[in-house]
Amino acid sequence: MQTSDLLIQLMLYVFLPLWGIAGFIDWCCHRATRIEHTSGVKESLVHSLMGIQMAIPILLCLLFQVNVLIMLICLLAWLAHELVAHYDVHYAAPRRHISIWEMHAHNYLATLPLFMLLLIIVINFPVFIQLVTLDWQGQFQFQRMPYAHGGDSYLLYYLGFMLLVCVLPYLEENLRCLRVYLQQRAAA
């Protein structure tokens, strides 16, 4: 097995699931601090935004061959995620307690996307050279992968896993925060 194949397996079976588990732990911390009564719907929506910011490059890299377009999207998504993550903690810190568990989860949620981005760059180093040398001709189309990373069923299992540990919990958080926000607004 080639090194690039091992690195892809590392991302598929360690980093991506670990990122989902860290997101679930983060959600548990939000629930424990009763986010709906502290930082509320605004912070909850920021959490959903950060999940979407990472979901887009993950899905693109699983479905399409990495070219300059995909790599640019990955880089911009990572940068946007970092900016929003900084805003998230800046907004939440004065409004609610951020436990050591939540800070630890944030460490994983911040570093795993960076590690995956760097591995994508290493695995696709000729594309990275094309990106930085502005050799972009013919590099702005979506080309489907000729094979499925992790096998034909990996994407389905991964999406199911993420649905259970991230999408549904954060949707619940959004709805819980929205319900409290609407109740408070009606009472005012």
Side-chain angles (χ1 to χ4, degrees):
M1 188 175 265
Q2 292 190 6
T3 303
S4 62
D5 294 329
L6 290 171
L7 294 176
I8 290 169
Q9 299 299 313
L10 177 67
M11 284 192 287
L12 295 177
Y13 296 106
V14 178
F15 288 175
L16 285 174
L18 192 54
W19 186 68
I21 291 167
F24 180 75
I25 292 169
D26 193 42
W27 172 81
C28 290
C29 293
H30 302 160
R31 191 163 177 80
T33 60
R34 299 177 46 114
I35 187 176
E36 67 273 18
H37 295 288
T38 55
S39 53
V41 72
K42 186 173 182 178
E43 185 188 3
S44 183
L45 291 173
V46 167
H47 296 152
S48 296
L49 173 62
M50 287 188 290
I52 292 166
Q53 286 173 321
M54 288 293 94
I56 291 169
I58 288 169
L59 287 173
L60 288 175
C61 287
L62 287 172
L63 295 171
F64 301 102
Q65 292 180 11
V66 175
N67 59 16
V68 169
L69 175 62
I70 301 289
M71 197 167 286
L72 269 174
I73 293 170
C74 290
L75 285 164
L76 292 173
W78 174 78
L79 182 60
H81 180 266
E82 287 298 301
L83 293 171
V84 174
H86 177 79
Y87 170 78
D88 174 42
V89 174
H90 174 76
Y91 178 78
R95 290 170 175 80
R96 67 177 181 86
H97 174 69
I98 299 176
S99 71
I100 190 70
W101 286 102
E102 187 172 353
M103 285 188 264
H104 198 62
H106 287 179
N107 289 338
Y108 282 89
L109 291 169
T111 56
L112 284 169
L114 174 61
F115 296 159
M116 289 187 282
L117 174 63
L118 293 173
L119 288 177
I120 288 166
I121 289 171
V122 166
I123 293 165
N124 300 283
F125 199 70
V127 174
F128 179 71
I129 296 300
Q130 289 177 311
L131 172 70
V132 297
T133 60
L134 304 178
D135 181 14
W136 297 2
Q137 185 175 359
Q139 294 287 316
F140 277 83
Q141 67 276 358
F142 293 107
Q143 294 178 329
R144 288 289 299 208
M145 289 294 297
Y147 58 90
H149 285 301
D152 292 336
S153 58
Y154 176 83
L155 183 60
L156 182 62
Y157 284 120
Y158 179 69
L159 292 176
F161 171 76
M162 291 303 287
L163 178 70
L164 291 175
V165 300
C166 288
V167 175
L168 292 176
Y170 281 94
L171 181 60
E172 182 274 337
E173 178 181 286
N174 283 215
L175 293 173
R176 181 168 28 98
C177 290
L178 181 60
R179 186 184 75 243
V180 169
Y181 170 77
L182 292 173
Q183 288 171 350
Q184 291 172 343
R185 197 167 154 194

